[in-house]
Amino acid sequence: MRRLYVCLVILLFVSCSKQNSRLEMALKLAEYNRGELEKVLQYYSANPSDSLKLKAAEFLIINMPWHFGYGGEYIENYIRKIDSTFHDLPIEKRLVLYTLPGKYPELRSKLEIKPDIKTITADYLIHNIEKSFEVWESSFWLRELGFDDFCEYLLPYRIGREPLSYWKDSLSNDMKSKTKEWTEHISDITKDSYALYEFLKTHLIDDYSKYFLYKVDIPDSVIKQYEFDCIAASVAYCYKLRMFGIPAAVDELPSWGNGDDHHAEVAIIDKRNTSGFVSIDARNLYAAKVYRNTFSVNHTQILQKTNDYIPQVAKNPFYKDVTANYVQTTTITIKTDSLKDDPKHLYLGVFGQGWTPIAHTEVYGKAEFKDIGAGVVYVPFYYKNNRQQFFSDPFYVGSDNSIRYFTPDFSNLRTVSLNRKDRLIIYKVWWSLFYPNCFIEASNNVSFTNPDRIHDINENTYWNKVAVPVDTLLSARYYRIFTDGSSVELAEFHFFDKDGQELNGKIIGDAVTMGNGNINNINDNDRLTFSSITNWVGFDFGKDVSVGKIEYLPRNDANGIYPGMKYELLYFDKTKWASMGIKTTTEYKIVYDNVPKNALLWLRNLTEGHEERIFVYENGKQIWW
């Protein structure tokens, strides 16, 4: 149903003669609802002083054919359950929850598509326009906001696929009063959108972080539980800001340039900033592409011009490229004379569990990709029979706009020794740091009076288990790791007797450490679980025991190389990933021979885990991309 409607929209937009305006096209699509839309246009045509409101109405109607919500008996019952269960939940979070059924394929057959152009009423549209203009015209902080930005970031009546509602009327009188108080006490020179946001964050609304990872139990047998990801959190926060009269938008990264996940954040439109906006959660150092979600339609997106697969990044009609406002960019030109096929569109991909498309362009003898983020590895491809077709080696775009191709050099083969399958980020290094004066000691009393020191911890293996042989005849009941008051994150801590048998005891520690609900993680043989040790933690074995070996493992990401696991090394060879073979290692490293120089590599753990990054091997080290 949804695809049929979208195709109808596309067909009508393409087939209408040039002399017909986009407004007339939209009115034709309204069919039996045309009268409601014309009421709005007539309402604002009656008085010349409403000429700007008339333009705003035309803006909404022209772009309306692309917007819709969900309706029908199922969604109506679902929303009633949401409202009754979460009646105290802020409206912006409920607006997100209303749209959840559309995310579940098994529920979509129960949903009815409600095109705005065919269902919106004149009263609703006029109310929204009046409310929006009231905020725009009465708010000092919006004096720099132009009409075009007003239409995109304050005027729209929806952001997602929720049923139409009067969400702009949801501010309490108390919040309105405090916002007015702000305008009276903040100096005039600082009254801009971002200054108001800072005030609201301090006095009236939760910080963005309170929306991200917000978890809620849903009264639905299919959805059950939902946790706000960055997109859901950004949409909810954008609703909240617009309610207060802060022009805001949701900006998305289809994929990180150096990671395997997408990202979204909220941008506050503020003309006092040189970029025209302020990001409230800017972490885009390695952004390949950033797209802003708009209400208006971007006609440069692919609109059913091919019968082959079209990824979301190319067919989302509301994406506006704002990459150049976030990071340094360049233009990439791809030669297409080597193509076996005749594709209409080419894509650029970044690595994230395979190549994820982040940009597209049409092919006219050559392909030009504009505003591509620097510091990222890309590969060009097209789709044929719904499968990616590669024709070039991957390349890296440097900060000086230089391009380095990763072309395997089969005349220069070497041996590589690998100890990780994913890059080691700085905060993960901090996980594993043991500070000076950390040591392991034994005692025959639980207060550790006059203990015997067994081992000083002065090494950092980051992600590997440390095995400490104990060559002493010492026998004691209590053993511990002492951190001298420093906080240490410990994943595993085990003791073994002289015959190699593990000793089992009761976990003991200082009051703060033992107050952790996850203290048992240090002894569960799971390298991904951990507990924070504030001062010390150890074991009461119930009797005197002699220890032959101690093993401990700092908090880590389990992306190292581990004995007994299967791995496969791949290199990219122009059209595909090629395998260097599957191996089971017996060490905390894995070695491959005859690896071509300058090849882009990918090491996979076939036993467990999914976090993996591409790299090259230079000067005996893995260089991650």
Side-chain angles (χ1 to χ4, degrees), residues 176-218:
K176 292 178 183 178
S177 174
K178 288 186 176 174
T179 303
K180 185 175 183 296
E181 176 187 336
W182 172 81
T183 66
E184 295 172 349
H185 289 83
I186 301 297
S187 63
D188 185 66
I189 202 169
T190 61
K191 287 177 181 175
D192 54 43
S193 298
Y194 193 76
L196 174 57
Y197 161 68
E198 289 289 320
F199 171 83
L200 294 175
K201 189 175 66 171
T202 303
H203 297 92
L204 294 178
I205 64 175
D206 286 333
D207 184 74
Y208 172 77
S209 61
K210 296 290 183 67
Y211 288 71
F212 182 56
L213 299 183
Y214 175 78
K215 188 180 293 185
V216 59
D217 293 321
I218 302 295

Side-chain angles (χ1 to χ4, degrees), residues 30-31 125 246 262 268 281 314 391 428 456 483 503 525 586:
E31 296 178 347
L125 206 52
I246 298 179
H262 68 273
I268 294 175
D281 185 35
F391 59 94
K428 293 183 179 181
D456 290 338
T483 70
L503 296 166
N525 291 304
T586 58

Side-chain angles (χ1 to χ4, degrees), residues 501-564:
Q501 298 297 312
E502 184 167 2
L503 296 166
N504 297 310
K506 176 185 176 182
I507 298 177
I508 55 176
D510 64 274
V512 175
T513 296
M514 294 305 292
N516 294 336
N518 55 12
I519 188 62
N520 290 325
N521 288 346
I522 67 169
N523 199 233
D524 65 356
N525 291 304
D526 184 345
R527 63 173 61 90
L528 283 174
T529 62
F530 66 96
S531 183
S532 295
I533 311 305
T534 302
N535 194 19
W536 65 274
V537 70
F539 290 92
D540 174 2
F541 291 109
K543 61 181 180 180
D544 289 355
V545 296
S546 294
V547 174
K549 182 178 69 171
I550 303 171
E551 291 184 349
Y552 65 89
L553 175 67
R555 179 184 176 185
N556 69 103
D557 61 2
N559 286 322
I561 308 302
Y562 304 103

